[in-house]
Amino acid sequence: MPQQEAPSATSSHMMKTTKRGRPFLKDTLDLFATLIVSLELTTNRQYFRSFPNSFTTDDAARNLASLKFSQSNRGPDPREPSRIVTTTTTTTFSMTRDMAKAMCQQFMDARLIENAADPGSNLFKERGVYVLTPKGLHVLERFMSKNGINGDHLAHVFSSQPICMKLLHLERRSVDDEIIVSHSAITALFRRFVGRQPNYPPEFIDTMDAFQKYHERSKGVALMDVTEKGVGKGSVTHKNCFAAVTALEWLCDFTSVIGREEAAEMAAQFVRFGLIALVSDKRKNNDSAIIFTVRGAAGGANSSIAQHGEFRCTAKAIYKVTDEGRRLARWDMPDGVRASPNSSAANVSSTARASEDRSVDNATTEGPTSSDAKIHRRISMTEKLNASYDAEKKGQKESNTDRLKFIMEEPQLRQLFRDFLRSNFCEENLSFYLDVQDFKKSFSTTSSAIAANPPPARAGQKATPGQLAMERHHEALIQKAFVIYNTYLAPSSQSELNIDHGLRNELSAYLSEVIQSMTGKTFQGHVDLEQANHFNATQLQTMIRLYERIQTHVFRLMATDSVPKFIKTPRFLALKVKLVEEDDGPLADFPLMNSSASTPSVPPGLSSSEEEVGGAYVTISQRAAVQERPAGEQR
């Protein structure tokens, strides 16, 4: 049956702004990614230097002047579920050049882009050349994956620049987009900030390439030892110190904070919670100083939480990690040993109220305080990978199913699992499963972003950019569907799956029926491109249902046969220890999400009936994981 096109819906989107005057974070990230998808990143010259994968101020302003984002979604027709309808929605962003420059300044503040010629500059200039940051690439990858955007024109950008592997997101209030400050959020943020172990940069860091330097930075804020003159002629050496400016840059680069102001407020919370302390600030009297102060209820008698915390954003300010900070970071715990979320913060009152009262330069602005901070127990990585995880409650079979799901989500584990399957001559099981997952996601949604001049409509047809994108997308889907069939399911194919005979016959009978009715030709076991082009969306959906049944069979086979053997291999056990020791150790009490996953509507682990309570979650870049593997082998 032919595919039905639903009427296109076009809407003009007015971005909500906060009391500080900036757009909400989600709108900022979405508009940034839409702009980048619409641009053609090329090599631009400035100051006698060339900058690949860049764009100019004029490029950004021109596209933002009239930027259209079209999204097409496929689904069953409510009136006739056997038919597939496509609904295309077009959102238009329109702004003056000054507004476009102001919006790009927000992108810079959020560390999504940077000045190619002067990375240290914080201003978006009238005549500048700009490139994406590792954080910007992470956000872009996540947006493209969620919205089904073809990113072939950006492939060279992702392959040639470092990408933020794991981005820590802090939950925000839906009303005003302010970060929800709670004990669990500050714990997650601080552990990510200081790393699993103190991060003293290696002496040879200057000889490293861009990927290696970024990997070193991602371990935690760069620390140093500082010697101060003591009383008399003596001196005092403070360990685990860092510059205030370095802290702000790190928080902007590796978390979802949207600028130095928010970063400074989070740092001030570290001071209030007793995790860091000022060592010195040797600025001259006439030097300007911006001091951020946050206020809230103090903790109990034995708590390190104070009523207020102050963070100095000056070039000379030096802070250090306190003993309380070391303990919360678990630096002194033996490798592989983990405290529970409750015990890891025994001296931090779990009833301390989150602070929303802030002052800048002693100008206090009052606001409501959130509900009592709560700690929500999540399944840690160690438990997920442990061979005895919940086996007593669920039984071994279901435990292996959970384990396989987690292996699929963690890039390094998935790659190691692929190597294991290859050595056992059954890699095609994992490849088929992942290819079908990608195919299903592509079938549901496709999006495009274009600037002011859309491609001309075909003769006699009034096509919108979204409809044209869907047509191209449909052709690509057909090819992908039958590449999967010819690779894994056709008789004597190169990676033929060992599946149930009944499933194979059912798929073969369906293809035979469709091809016979459309072309009058007999199905020969393989599908060529000419035959494939006759398939419509409804027939593709039927193929997806058949693929899903085969997926279930393959997943069950891997969970019951391959996973029990895989988790006993030396390489798996070694990687498990490595993952626990790295970022995942400090973040084990907080959920990990793929970069393609949608932001939770409420903090993970909470029901919608509860009040908004601050938390944190991590998104993982799949492309960065591919980069990480060869980089790790070189070090």
Side-chain angles (χ1 to χ4, degrees):
M1 294 182 183
Q3 178 182 349
Q4 296 293 310
E5 289 287 346
S8 296
T10 303
S11 62
S12 179
H13 180 64
M14 298 296 292
M15 290 186 294
K16 295 170 65 176
T17 57
T18 67
K19 61 185 179 183
R20 306 170 193 239
R22 64 162 178 82
F24 274 41
L25 175 62
K26 185 181 185 306
D27 286 340
T28 300
L29 300 184
D30 286 351
L31 182 55
F32 156 75
T34 303
L35 170 65
I36 298 303
V37 170
S38 74
L39 290 169
E40 195 67 40
L41 300 182
T42 59
T43 298
N44 290 281
R45 290 183 59 83
Q46 191 176 44
Y47 306 134
F48 307 105
R49 295 170 60 193
S50 295
F51 301 101
N53 305 328
S54 62
F55 63 93
T56 65
T57 302
D58 289 340
D59 293 335
R62 182 173 55 252
N63 281 27
L64 285 172
S66 181
L67 185 60
K68 292 186 177 181
F69 176 74
S70 297
Q71 184 171 86
S72 299
N73 294 286
R74 300 173 188 264
D77 186 340
R79 293 168 296 183
E80 189 177 342
S82 63
R83 301 169 74 98
I84 299 297
V85 295
T86 301
T87 303
T88 300
T89 303
T90 300
T91 303
T92 302
F93 298 90
S94 181
M95 56 189 75
T96 65
R97 184 180 180 87
D98 286 342
M99 289 175 62
K101 287 172 57 182
M103 198 66 236
C104 289
Q105 182 63 59
Q106 295 290 339
F107 301 158
M108 286 200 75
D109 292 343
R111 292 294 295 154
L112 303 173
I113 60 174
E114 65 184 8
N115 190 308
D118 183 13
S121 171
N122 295 317
L123 294 177
F124 188 81
K125 300 177 180 177
E126 176 63 35
R127 297 185 179 276
V129 175
Y130 298 91
V131 295
L132 274 63
T133 64
K135 177 181 176 180
L137 286 170
H138 182 112
V139 169
L140 178 62
E141 175 190 345
R142 190 171 178 227
F143 179 84
M144 290 169 60
S145 180
K146 283 195 301 180
N147 292 288
I149 295 175
N150 185 321
D152 290 347
H153 66 297
L154 294 168
H156 62 289
V157 184
F158 284 107
S159 62
S160 60
Q161 298 177 206
I163 307 171
C164 179
M165 174 82 158
K166 295 177 181 178
L167 186 65
L168 179 68
H169 301 257
L170 298 169
E171 294 290 344
R172 294 172 180 269
R173 288 200 307 242
S174 56
V175 176
D176 57 10
D177 205 45
E178 292 293 318
I179 293 174
I180 305 172
V181 178
S182 67
H183 168 254
S184 60
I186 295 300
T187 298
L189 181 62
F190 183 73
R191 287 177 178 165
R192 182 75 178 90
F193 174 69
V194 297
R196 185 67 181 86
Q197 294 295 334
N199 185 26
Y200 283 82
E203 295 179 0
F204 54 88
I205 192 169
D206 291 337
T207 64
M208 294 180 173
D209 61 28
F211 290 86
Q212 293 169 327
K213 287 180 179 177
Y214 188 76
H215 176 76
E216 288 299 321
R217 278 197 72 213
S218 70
K219 294 179 180 178
V221 66
L223 299 177
M224 58 185 173
D225 293 341
V226 174
T227 301
E228 293 282 319
K229 291 183 179 179
V231 180
K233 296 183 179 180
S235 60
V236 178
T237 298
H238 300 276
K239 293 187 174 297
N240 306 321
C241 298
F242 55 88
V245 174
T246 302
L248 300 184
E249 291 176 350
W250 195 97
L251 288 169
C252 289
D253 285 340
F254 293 96
T255 74
S256 65
V257 299
I258 201 167
R260 289 195 171 198
E261 183 176 332
E262 271 194 352
E265 288 172 0
M266 293 301 101
Q269 293 290 353
F270 292 163
V271 175
R272 187 171 81 87
F273 275 66
L275 307 175
I276 63 174
L278 181 68
V279 173
S280 64
D281 183 7
K282 297 181 179 179
R283 64 185 176 88
K284 297 178 181 178
N285 292 333
N286 57 350
D287 287 348
S288 61
I290 299 178
I291 302 174
F292 282 81
T293 303
V294 294
R295 292 183 173 84
N302 297 322
S303 172
S304 63
I305 299 179
Q307 285 189 331
H308 76 278
E310 180 182 281
F311 190 80
R312 295 171 174 263
C313 303
T314 66
K316 299 290 186 180
I318 302 292
Y319 283 81
K320 69 175 181 180
V321 179
T322 64
D323 290 341
E324 175 65 18
R326 289 183 62 92
R327 191 187 58 75
L328 190 66
R330 303 169 177 170
W331 280 356
D332 300 323
M333 293 181 66
D335 290 343
V337 176
R338 286 263 212 26
S340 71
N342 294 326
S343 64
S344 68
N347 292 335
V348 183
S349 171
S350 63
T351 59
R353 298 183 65 84
S355 166
E356 296 300 332
D357 299 337
R358 301 180 175 89
S359 69
V360 181
D361 286 333
N362 298 324
T364 304
T365 58
E366 305 223 351
T369 2
S370 74
S371 60
D372 290 353
K374 300 176 184 178
I375 301 174
H376 295 269
R377 183 73 172 101
R378 276 110 187 185
I379 304 302
S380 71
M381 171 176 284
T382 304
E383 291 170 321
K384 287 177 179 177
L385 298 181
N386 196 311
S388 62
Y389 163 60
D390 217 10
E392 296 176 346
K393 293 183 180 178
K394 294 187 174 183
Q396 192 64 34
K397 184 175 179 181
E398 191 171 354
S399 174
N400 284 330
T401 297
D402 292 338
R403 232 173 271 128
L404 179 56
K405 289 177 182 177
F406 185 70
I407 288 170
M408 295 284 197
E409 295 170 359
E410 169 56 47
Q412 295 180 71
L413 281 171
R414 187 175 62 246
Q415 182 59 49
L416 191 61
F417 187 53
R418 181 183 291 278
D419 294 343
F420 170 79
L421 294 176
R422 185 183 302 124
S423 67
N424 286 271
F425 307 103
C426 53
E427 181 188 0
E428 65 276 2
N429 291 333
L430 178 61
S431 297
F432 171 79
Y433 184 90
L434 296 175
D435 284 351
V436 172
Q437 286 292 92
D438 183 56
F439 176 55
K440 291 191 300 186
K441 186 189 303 179
S442 300
F443 179 82
S444 300
T445 305
T446 184
S447 306
S448 63
I450 62 169
N453 299 316
R458 298 179 182 178
Q461 181 183 14
K462 189 177 180 181
T464 66
Q467 290 168 338
L468 292 173
M470 179 55 82
E471 289 179 12
R472 294 191 298 269
H473 187 64
H474 180 69
E475 294 171 1
L477 278 176
I478 290 174
Q479 294 182 19
K480 183 178 293 187
F482 288 102
V483 164
I484 290 174
Y485 176 79
N486 290 331
T487 302
Y488 302 105
L489 301 167
S492 303
S493 54
Q494 64 185 47
S495 300
E496 187 174 0
L497 290 176
N498 180 19
I499 62 172
D500 180 74
H501 189 65
L503 273 176
R504 190 186 300 278
N505 285 346
E506 188 174 347
L507 176 60
S508 179
Y510 176 72
L511 291 175
S512 178
E513 177 188 346
V514 173
I515 290 175
Q516 178 74 31
S517 64
M518 290 190 306
T519 67
K521 298 179 180 179
T522 304
F523 180 54
Q524 300 294 332
H526 285 259
V527 181
D528 58 37
L529 187 58
E530 181 183 354
Q531 294 171 326
N533 284 334
H534 289 85
F535 275 68
N536 60 36
T538 301
Q539 291 161 338
L540 277 180
Q541 189 178 56
T542 301
M543 288 195 66
I544 286 178
R545 293 195 186 105
L546 290 168
Y547 282 177
E548 284 179 327
R549 290 171 59 192
I550 300 172
Q551 251 194 324
T552 301
H553 172 83
V554 168
F555 186 91
R556 189 181 300 119
L557 182 66
M558 289 190 292
T560 56
D561 183 61
S562 301
V563 169
K565 300 173 186 175
F566 171 64
I567 62 176
K568 295 176 183 177
T569 61
R571 291 184 66 190
F572 167 80
L573 295 173
L575 180 58
K576 174 184 169 182
V577 172
K578 175 177 177 289
L579 289 174
V580 169
E581 290 175 351
E582 290 183 350
D583 290 349
D584 298 312
L587 292 169
D589 307 325
F590 301 87
L592 289 170
M593 299 173 62
N594 289 328
S595 61
S596 60
S598 300
T599 305
S601 56
V602 295
L606 304 180
S607 67
S608 57
S609 61
E610 295 186 64
E611 293 184 34
E612 290 182 304
V613 178
Y617 62 94
V618 173
T619 52
I620 305 174
S621 165
Q622 304 298 318
R623 295 177 187 263
V626 173
Q627 290 180 347
E628 183 81 1
R629 183 174 172 79
E633 291 170 355
Q634 291 169 6
R635 282 190 291 273

